[in-house]
Structures are given as C-alpha cells and as structure tokens.
Amino acid sequence: NSFFIDSPGMALPLIEAIAKTGKVLAFHIGTDAYEATHPFRLAKIAEQFPETQILMIHIGGVGFADVSSAAIEVIAGHPNVTGIGSNLRHINVLKAIKQLGADRVCFGSDYPFNLMHVEVAAYQALMDGECSAEEQAMIWAGNISRVLQLESSPA
C-alpha cells in the first residue's frame, strides 16, 4: 500500500514482466490506501495489458470509505478483470453479481482476517433466491478456476 499500483518506475516493469509470462495478476483494491490502490488505477493497467487476466481483490471495499461502485464500473469496462468479493459489504457483493453477472465475481473470504465459515454462510444467504445453482457454482469455484486456468478433475 506504500506505492501506486500503476507506478511507471516501480510497479509497471514488474506488471509487464508478469504479463509476458501469461500469468494472472492480482491487485488489492480498497481505500485503506485510497490513492495508491484506487480502482481507476487498475483500469489503466487493464487497458495497458488487455490480454492479461487480472483479479481485483476486495472490489474496492477495504478501508474507511467504499469505492465498490467505481470498482464495479472498472470491472464492467474491462473483460480481463474479475472481482473477488472479499472484505466487501455483502450487499455490495450482491450488487456486483447483479450488475456484472455471476461470471465476473468470485467468492472471497479474506481469511484469516475474516472467519471462513461466517463468510461462506453469508455468501450462501446472499445468493439464496438471487442466483441460480449454476451461477452459484461459478461464484464459488468456476470463475476462479477459469481465470487461473485450473484443470477440472474428472468426475
């Protein structure tokens, strides 16, 4: 949190090196370092590296303020960005799912800072009646498996 995530001298050379490998980038996006990790900084990175998959951790919900609306806007405008709904108010997780679609949001617990069983129960409750079984499967594991290019195990 002590540098801008799109810093030309510090961050961009590392981002470029990772992008060249074809690996996924993950960024902490929240207001605990408001200017350094603002969603619009991630938008600039996503635009520079459109072939690179990027995970937006927290969808802008960490810190004293909430920039999840800006984060959702960034995800919506960049098909290479997927949100992880960790340490984000649950109503905003549901807002992200409804606005972006279930294929753009992944479960996140922020463990060990939040209790895993509590976050699992919260996601179950917020998706109940709001998301189909197929959408829930995407949010729980399907999306992250797709983004990370994990092989599914045979049935």
Side-chain angles (χ1 to χ4, degrees), residues 66-134:
D66 181 302
V67 291
S68 60
S69 291
I72 291 167
E73 181 181 328
V74 168
I75 295 169
H78 299 86
N80 58 325
V81 179
T82 301
I84 306 286
S86 61
N87 206 356
L88 176 66
R89 291 181 60 211
H90 298 112
I91 192 72
N92 291 333
V93 172
L94 186 58
K95 177 180 166 184
I97 293 167
K98 293 297 182 182
Q99 289 185 12
L100 298 168
D103 62 325
R104 302 293 301 282
V105 178
C106 301
F107 166 76
S109 69
D110 210 32
Y111 180 84
F113 304 107
N114 293 329
L115 298 173
M116 179 69 75
H117 71 283
V118 173
E119 292 303 309
V120 167
Y123 266 74
Q124 287 171 333
L126 76 88
M127 291 191 294
D128 185 37
E130 299 287 342
C131 301
S132 68
E134 180 181 297

Side-chain angles (χ1 to χ4, degrees), residues 1-55:
N1 288 350
S2 61
F3 62 91
F4 294 112
I5 62 170
D6 60 344
S7 165
M10 181 176 273
L12 287 181
L14 178 59
I15 293 167
E16 184 175 6
I18 293 169
K20 285 180 182 177
T21 70
K23 300 297 182 188
V24 176
L25 291 165
F27 290 90
H28 166 98
I29 302 297
T31 58
D32 52 341
Y34 185 80
E35 286 198 74
T37 64
H38 193 279
F40 294 149
R41 292 193 179 277
L42 183 69
K44 292 180 356 184
I45 295 166
E47 289 164 9
Q48 282 186 267
F49 302 95
E51 301 302 316
T52 301
Q53 289 296 308
I54 299 173
L55 295 171

